[in-house]
Amino acid sequence: MRPWAALAAATLALLGCRQEMTRQRRLNTFSATTIWRDGTTARPLPEGVVARGDLARDAIAATPPPVDAALLARGQERYAITCLPCHGAAGDGDGMIVRRGFPRPPSYHNAELLAAPARHLYDVISQGHGVMFSYASRVAPSDRWAITAYVRALQLSRHATLADAPEAAERLP
Amino acid sequence: MDEDLNEIREPGHVRVGAVLGVGLGTILFLAATLGLLPVYIRWMAVPPNAPPQPERFPPPRLEADPTAELRALRAEQAAQLEGYAWVDRERGLLRIPVARAMEILAARGQAAYAPLEAPSP
């Protein structure tokens, strides 16, 4: 009879448990409270707080890096990864995603974007524009400048003059 | 036990007029419905019963061979990045290879970011 007695004792001991671990004195997320004056448990960030690395990113965003072959090559690579699926290899806005029915982005070769300052292109990558969402979390600030420079190269490839590329004279039809 | 002499009993005769009225009324109603139905259909412009005509619908927009289509698109777009051609002969605008455009921009330094056209007023 000893095992039965042990089982009975254990059952009685379990019945005596109180569910204190699941019922705690705490504030639930987004619930109302009277502890703080704004009446919510969600705490705003203290004034002046920035995310780690924000100041460095802002500094890169403020000053475009000098354009050289390495930056343009980096921009070409990043453009092919991030932008080409919608904007197309030449920037006409006819990438594969567009062919499948996504709204067509404007061509880089229209007058408006040819006249747009580089800061505008940078800001569109950072914040999005129209149906394009923000690429801030996918493209680092230095890469945004690289892509901006490469977009200028794409524009120049359709907007060059004989003064820019004198070797073209003998290759033109 | 006393019988209740005031209890309501079924009358001994049939009201022929009511029976005939219901029957004839039903027939009249049916006849009127059948007669007025064509008028109603014509008034509502409901087409007469006819079997539905076969109609052509567009084929499904599926990618039967995504790999080949992407390869074709890449080849087509890679060709756009190459070669020399006139874009606008009057304004002297050229198409040049992107690699050459990158060389030109790299030589320009910081001025490479400048817009290629003046903003239109």
Side-chain angles (χ1 to χ4, degrees), chain A residues 108-173:
Chain A
Y108 295 144
H109 310 290
N110 67 21
E112 192 187 336
L113 284 178
L114 282 169
R119 172 67 58 186
H120 173 73
L121 303 177
Y122 182 94
D123 287 345
V124 168
I125 301 173
S126 311
Q127 295 155 21
H129 186 83
V131 294
M132 173 176 165
F133 52 80
S134 161
Y135 278 78
S137 61
R138 297 164 181 79
V139 182
S142 53
D143 286 341
R144 287 176 222 163
W145 282 121
I147 290 174
T148 302
Y150 181 67
V151 169
R152 281 276 183 256
L154 285 178
Q155 289 180 332
L156 181 65
S157 77
R158 296 269 184 93
H159 206 269
T161 57
L162 274 178
D164 293 325
E167 84 282 3
E170 57 217 49
R171 307 200 195 183
L172 282 171

Side-chain angles (χ1 to χ4, degrees), chain B residues 9-53:
Chain B
R9 289 177 178 249
E10 192 180 345
H13 62 276
V14 176
R15 288 168 61 197
V16 182
V19 174
L20 282 180
V22 169
L24 286 175
T26 307
I27 290 168
L28 272 178
F29 177 72
L30 279 173
T33 310
L34 287 175
L36 287 176
L37 203 54
V39 179
Y40 175 74
I41 286 174
R42 215 170 300 135
W43 178 56
M44 290 291 286
V46 178
N49 287 339
Q53 295 298 313

Side-chain angles (χ1 to χ4, degrees), chain A residues 64-67 72 76 88-90 92 94 99-100 114-115 118 152-153 155-161 164 167-168 172, chain B residues 63 73 76-77 80-81 84 86-87 92-96 98 100-102 105-106 108-110 113-117 119:
Chain A
V67 177
L72 284 164
Q76 187 174 34
D92 289 309
D94 59 346
R99 295 205 174 186
R100 287 175 177 159
L114 282 169
R152 281 276 183 256
Q155 289 180 332
L156 181 65
S157 77
R158 296 269 184 93
H159 206 269
T161 57
D164 293 325
E167 84 282 3
L172 282 171
Chain B
E63 281 189 313
L73 177 75
E76 180 192 319
Q77 296 201 333
Q80 292 172 1
L81 302 179
Y84 291 83
W86 284 109
V87 173
L93 294 181
L94 292 173
R95 206 186 92 186
I96 59 173
V98 170
R100 179 77 183 100
M102 288 164 71
L105 278 193
R108 282 187 192 172
Q110 202 67 19
Y113 289 114
L116 297 177
E117 272 192 4

